[in-house]
Amino acid sequence: MNDFAPGPLHDALADLAETAQPVDLRDRALRTSRRLAVRRSVTVTAAAVVLLGVTAAGVGQVLPQRTAPHTPAASDSATPEPQPSSPAPEPTTPEPSASSTPAASESGATVTVGPLYYGDLSPDPSGFVVSWLPGDTQSKAIAKLPVDFAVTFNVNVSPDGRWVSYVRGDTSALHLVDVRTGRDRVLREHVDGQCAEPAWSSDSRRLLVSVSADGSANARQGLIDVTTGAFTPLATAIQGCHLTWAADGAAIGYADGNGKIFVAKPDGSGQRAVPGINNFGTPPYSGHLESVSPQGRQIALWLSDGTTPVGDVSRGLYSNAVIDTRTGQKVKLPVPDSRLLQALFRGDGSMVLRVKGDQHNQLVIVSADGAELNRWDEPAALKNLTMLTS
Amino acid sequence: MDASADEFDAFVRGRTAALLRSAYLLTGDQYLAEDLVQSALARTHRAWKRLHASGNAEAYTRKVMYHLQVSWWRRGRVAESLPGDLPEPATADRDPHDRSDLRLALRAALLKLSNKQRAVLVLRFFEDRTETEAAELLGVTVGTVKSQTAKALARLRTVAPELADLYVRKESAR
């Protein structure tokens, strides 16, 4: 109980609040709802997903993939919605650089990708975190998180598949779930789970987080060692949201919250705006950065032409463009923009593109120079889940 | 249109005005308030089936609204919206000049608070929530609500001493 009389302040606030003009928001809310439906949840059925109890080894294998790539043009499906991608992690070995998974030669050699992770980022989430190894016919649930819309905004899986991180909306506590044992522990209190989702380093040992003891206005970004819990602030503070590691760990990208996208060194220094992306109100602009290529040379993001709502702070893991961060030019992709759902850079500069389809989505591996290297059909059970960016 | 859609429409039309009033205090701007409420209602719509069954739709909507607002995202946009002309509320019953000045001063002072401090003030002093309710809605501890409230009031006293009459201590208010 505070020691101030509520009367005068209440009355003054009520008087000020009366200046808000009544508006019918029904249609606008429904339009936004349809946009959110892109990430609509699908019930994870027992038929499609083998529940829990998955070992790290089971999750981490890299299996041979289909050798004969499909034709890039027409995918055999068509409908879903945008969502994000995540780095194609290597089984047990960390280190980012250009290797996570050998991005095959252009001569048609088989290209493999490690397990990918999916979450249910819908407003009415199931809580499942799912692993899928491209080429497998089934996905596996590796964790079941508290059903909390705040959690679904920020869940991530470490590149080695060992840990699931999330921040509870009701406590602001950063949790780590050990996928091997299912043990859930609090790693740190007062962590931002909305503006800066904890992001895994490529060695799966550190999380890039935004920490604040008294609200996000005084947040400080830094790295948490997941073994010791030690927090090391970035040398230079960042004013932005959705901090994203470059696939090789050599840069970070973020949205400034006013429409621009920035790239910086991993310690926060050297911040530079990506040319051609403007403040809200002057298209094109963006609030949703999905993935950053090695050295921060390219970014995958949702670029708005001004015809869609600005949206809000919540995580938007989906892309409709890949941009060169030095020139601001769009990078040509071997899939139509209208069918691109998510784009994820890998350590070697290649990309995993998630392309929408009717019954199921597809994953297309594209080399750094834009050539398609391989393609897989996703299980239908993943169609409405969102690929997670570590 | 099915019954569920009708019920959602009725919810939106019945509660939007109240949500906008809180959102206006949180953002200090009509359009930002609309954007905030729209985002919260959209999420409510996605979860409508479950929320309607539980009867917690408005609590959910407000929780989403406060969660979105206290994050960093809108901070710059809120600051950009300052200052501006305030429309006269429909129900003015005292000296319109004094009230207008008070509104301008209060809005300017609110926007000098952090998003979380502003949220705590709105919950505690406008919506008359208990500390426990405010903590639940913001996803923080009761201790955080207490400390943020104290900081917010102290900050208001610093940035807007001319509004001292609003912060009368209980003893002297009697």
Side-chain angles (χ1 to χ4, degrees), chain A residues 342-381:
Chain A
Q342 301 184 245
L344 165 70
F345 285 102
R346 305 199 301 165
D348 60 1
S350 63
M351 279 180 281
V352 178
L353 303 182
R354 193 178 189 208
V355 183
K356 69 181 176 182
D358 281 332
Q359 305 304 316
H360 55 76
N361 299 325
Q362 288 192 319
L363 294 185
V364 181
I365 309 303
V366 178
S367 67
D369 59 6
E372 178 172 330
L373 302 175
N374 208 346
R375 180 180 289 239
W376 299 274
D377 293 338
E378 266 185 0

Side-chain angles (χ1 to χ4, degrees), chain A residues 235-270:
Chain A
T236 305
I238 286 175
Q239 293 288 299
C241 288
H242 309 312
L243 277 56
T244 306
W245 286 97
D248 63 350
I252 53 178
Y254 59 93
D256 76 344
N258 286 318
K260 294 184 176 180
I261 302 294
F262 281 72
V263 176
K265 293 178 181 175
D267 66 358
S269 64

Side-chain angles (χ1 to χ4, degrees), chain A residues 28-43 79-84 119-124 153 302 314-318 341-342 354 356-357 361 382-386, chain B residues 39 41-47:
Chain A
R28 288 166 56 177
L30 291 181
R31 279 199 296 276
T32 305
S33 172
R34 282 192 286 274
R35 184 172 61 83
L36 290 170
V38 219
R39 303 171 262 163
R40 180 99 195 278
S41 111
V42 123
T43 307
T79 322
E81 310 302 347
Q83 285 149 332
D120 180 353
L121 271 61
S122 72
D124 193 14
F153 285 174
W302 179 265
S314 64
R315 190 184 199 183
L317 290 180
Y318 40 82
L341 297 176
Q342 301 184 245
R354 193 178 189 208
K356 69 181 176 182
N361 299 325
L382 299 179
K383 182 167 174 285
N384 292 322
L385 299 184
T386 298
Chain B
S39 293
L41 287 174
R43 283 168 173 75
T44 303
H45 180 252
R46 300 309 321 166

Side-chain angles (χ1 to χ4, degrees), chain B residues 75-131:
Chain B
R75 190 176 56 177
R77 301 174 64 203
V78 167
E80 284 171 8
S81 71
L82 243 189
D85 293 330
L86 290 173
E88 251 337 282
T91 56
D93 52 2
R94 282 179 291 178
D95 181 345
H97 300 295
D98 288 350
R99 300 188 70 200
S100 180
D101 288 347
L102 176 62
R103 284 194 294 272
L104 280 171
L106 182 57
R107 187 180 74 152
L110 286 174
L111 291 175
K112 288 175 182 169
L113 306 180
S114 73
N115 286 351
K116 187 163 279 186
Q117 289 170 353
R118 195 161 52 247
V120 167
L121 273 195
V122 173
L123 284 167
R124 294 284 288 119
F125 293 96
F126 174 62
E127 296 189 9
D128 293 331
R129 305 273 182 176
T130 65
E131 289 170 338

Side-chain angles (χ1 to χ4, degrees), chain A residues 48-110:
Chain A
V49 175
V50 182
L51 283 182
L52 303 174
V54 184
T55 66
V59 173
Q61 297 169 0
V62 175
L63 300 180
Q65 309 300 330
R66 207 175 359 200
T67 347
H70 292 184
T71 321
S75 64
D76 28 24
S77 23
T79 322
E81 310 302 347
Q83 285 149 332
S85 349
S86 85
E90 201 66 318
T92 37
T93 337
E95 270 342 284
S97 47
S99 52
S100 272
T101 316
S105 65
E106 280 117 44
S107 58
T110 301

Side-chain angles (χ1 to χ4, degrees), chain A:
Chain A
M1 172 104 42
N2 62 74
D3 59 353
F4 286 83
L9 184 52
H10 170 89
D11 292 348
L13 288 169
D15 183 57
L16 177 59
E18 286 298 325
T19 60
Q21 303 298 303
V23 174
D24 186 349
L25 294 175
R26 184 252 185 199
D27 291 346
R28 288 166 56 177
L30 291 181
R31 279 199 296 276
T32 305
S33 172
R34 282 192 286 274
R35 184 172 61 83
L36 290 170
V38 219
R39 303 171 262 163
R40 180 99 195 278
S41 111
V42 123
T43 307
V44 185
T45 63
V49 175
V50 182
L51 283 182
L52 303 174
V54 184
T55 66
V59 173
Q61 297 169 0
V62 175
L63 300 180
Q65 309 300 330
R66 207 175 359 200
T67 347
H70 292 184
T71 321
S75 64
D76 28 24
S77 23
T79 322
E81 310 302 347
Q83 285 149 332
S85 349
S86 85
E90 201 66 318
T92 37
T93 337
E95 270 342 284
S97 47
S99 52
S100 272
T101 316
S105 65
E106 280 117 44
S107 58
T110 301
V111 178
T112 59
V113 172
L116 300 171
Y117 303 100
Y118 297 76
D120 180 353
L121 271 61
S122 72
D124 193 14
S126 64
F128 284 105
V129 178
V130 175
S131 162
W132 176 61
L133 190 60
D136 281 4
T137 56
Q138 289 191 332
S139 52
K140 304 166 185 174
I142 59 172
K144 175 78 166 65
L145 306 180
V147 178
D148 173 339
F149 70 87
V151 165
T152 63
F153 285 174
N154 63 57
V155 61
N156 270 322
V157 181
S158 62
D160 64 2
R162 169 81 188 274
W163 306 101
V164 175
S165 62
Y166 69 93
V167 177
R168 285 190 69 108
D170 53 353
T171 62
S172 297
L174 169 61
H175 288 244
L176 274 191
V177 177
D178 186 334
V179 171
R180 293 188 300 191
T181 65
R183 180 173 173 244
D184 184 326
R185 68 184 168 98
V186 173
L187 185 60
R188 190 181 176 96
E189 308 280 354
H190 307 303
V191 174
D192 181 2
Q194 293 185 31
C195 167
E197 307 81 18
W200 285 96
S201 64
S202 53
D203 61 6
S204 298
R205 292 173 185 152
R206 294 163 299 163
L207 278 164
L208 176 58
V209 300
S210 183
V211 169
S212 171
D214 61 352
S216 50
N218 298 311
R220 192 78 171 95
Q221 300 86 15
L223 293 168
I224 291 183
D225 184 308
V226 298
T227 306
T228 65
F231 175 73
T232 307
L234 296 187
T236 305
I238 286 175
Q239 293 288 299
C241 288
H242 309 312
L243 277 56
T244 306
W245 286 97
D248 63 350
I252 53 178
Y254 59 93
D256 76 344
N258 286 318
K260 294 184 176 180
I261 302 294
F262 281 72
V263 176
K265 293 178 181 175
D267 66 358
S269 64
Q271 298 171 12
R272 65 182 174 88
V274 177
I277 303 176
N278 308 312
N279 284 332
F280 293 136
T282 310
Y285 48 74
S286 178
H288 298 303
L289 172 65
E290 181 171 28
S291 186
V292 180
S293 79
Q295 307 294 320
R297 292 196 181 96
Q298 296 179 342
I299 50 173
L301 76 172
W302 179 265
L303 200 59
S304 176
D305 61 3
T307 60
T308 53
V310 168
D312 51 58
V313 68
S314 64
R315 190 184 199 183
L317 290 180
Y318 40 82
S319 290
N320 63 357
V322 172
I323 300 286
D324 185 308
T325 62
R326 290 163 297 191
T327 65
Q329 296 297 307
K330 271 191 174 182
V331 175
K332 186 168 174 51
L333 302 174
V335 300
D337 288 354
S338 60
R339 303 184 76 81
L340 180 63
L341 297 176
Q342 301 184 245
L344 165 70
F345 285 102
R346 305 199 301 165
D348 60 1
S350 63
M351 279 180 281
V352 178
L353 303 182
R354 193 178 189 208
V355 183
K356 69 181 176 182
D358 281 332
Q359 305 304 316
H360 55 76
N361 299 325
Q362 288 192 319
L363 294 185
V364 181
I365 309 303
V366 178
S367 67
D369 59 6
E372 178 172 330
L373 302 175
N374 208 346
R375 180 180 289 239
W376 299 274
D377 293 338
E378 266 185 0
L382 299 179
K383 182 167 174 285
N384 292 322
L385 299 184
T386 298
M387 214 188 320
L388 298 174
T389 305
S390 289

Side-chain angles (χ1 to χ4, degrees), chain B:
Chain B
M1 187 178 289
D2 61 30
S4 177
D6 285 340
E7 287 160 359
F8 179 75
D9 285 358
F11 170 75
V12 170
R13 295 196 161 116
R15 301 309 303 154
T16 294
L19 293 168
L20 275 172
R21 285 194 287 273
S22 293
Y24 184 85
L25 294 178
L26 293 171
T27 62
D29 177 274
Q30 174 75 25
Y31 297 108
L32 292 178
E34 290 176 19
D35 195 23
L36 185 59
V37 175
Q38 173 186 333
S39 293
L41 287 174
R43 283 168 173 75
T44 303
H45 180 252
R46 300 309 321 166
W48 183 250
K49 190 174 177 182
R50 173 170 59 84
L51 292 171
H52 177 61
S54 66
N56 290 329
E58 179 159 358
Y60 179 88
T61 308
R62 286 189 181 273
K63 187 167 184 177
V64 172
M65 195 170 81
Y66 279 98
H67 272 264
L68 294 175
Q69 172 58 23
V70 298
S71 59
W72 180 89
W73 195 258
R74 293 165 188 271
R75 190 176 56 177
R77 301 174 64 203
V78 167
E80 284 171 8
S81 71
L82 243 189
D85 293 330
L86 290 173
E88 251 337 282
T91 56
D93 52 2
R94 282 179 291 178
D95 181 345
H97 300 295
D98 288 350
R99 300 188 70 200
S100 180
D101 288 347
L102 176 62
R103 284 194 294 272
L104 280 171
L106 182 57
R107 187 180 74 152
L110 286 174
L111 291 175
K112 288 175 182 169
L113 306 180
S114 73
N115 286 351
K116 187 163 279 186
Q117 289 170 353
R118 195 161 52 247
V120 167
L121 273 195
V122 173
L123 284 167
R124 294 284 288 119
F125 293 96
F126 174 62
E127 296 189 9
D128 293 331
R129 305 273 182 176
T130 65
E131 289 170 338
T132 303
E133 290 169 341
E136 157 65 15
L137 277 164
L138 292 173
V140 300
T141 63
V142 170
T144 298
V145 170
K146 288 177 189 287
S147 65
Q148 290 293 312
T149 303
K151 287 178 182 175
L153 290 170
R155 176 83 176 140
L156 277 185
R157 282 194 297 272
T158 302
V159 302
E162 71 275 24
L163 300 179
D165 289 350
L166 301 182
Y167 325 130
V168 183
R169 288 185 184 276
K170 280 175 180 168
E171 311 81 68
S172 53
R174 291 192 189 111

